[in-house]
Amino acid sequence: MQKNKKFPEPFTVRRTQLPPLPMSEAEMSPLGRKLMKIVAEIDASDDPPMSEEDLDRELAVRRGGYIENE
């Protein structure tokens, strides 16, 4: 049987093998250790999580963009 050259064969996706969590600090990259420290600081703070609107407003302020209704 001749393959149809007009259409490529379907792409297959391979499953990723992730290490079990939690990882020890020794197993983490320097960036992973830095991010885990930031996560711990956020968890320890009493600030509530930001809403989508608050996040959009914060990004606009930091980028120097236009903020509607302010």
Side-chain angles (χ1 to χ4, degrees):
M1 186 167 149
Q2 192 178 26
K3 291 185 179 184
N4 189 345
K5 293 182 181 180
K6 198 173 197 179
F7 300 104
E9 291 187 32
F11 180 74
T12 57
V13 178
R14 293 180 288 151
R15 292 212 169 259
T16 303
Q17 296 294 323
L18 297 174
L21 295 176
M23 294 174 65
S24 69
E25 274 199 42
E27 296 172 319
M28 290 183 192
S29 67
L31 176 60
R33 286 190 289 272
K34 186 175 181 179
L35 292 173
M36 289 304 292
K37 287 179 185 176
I38 293 171
V39 168
E41 289 175 16
I42 292 170
D43 287 342
S45 73
D46 291 333
D47 295 336
M50 295 177 90
S51 68
E52 285 284 329
E53 294 81 22
D54 292 340
L55 184 59
D56 289 340
R57 189 177 305 112
E58 178 75 18
L59 289 173
V61 166
R62 288 178 183 229
R63 292 177 180 154
Y66 172 75
I67 302 173
E68 192 173 330
N69 298 329
E70 287 192 23

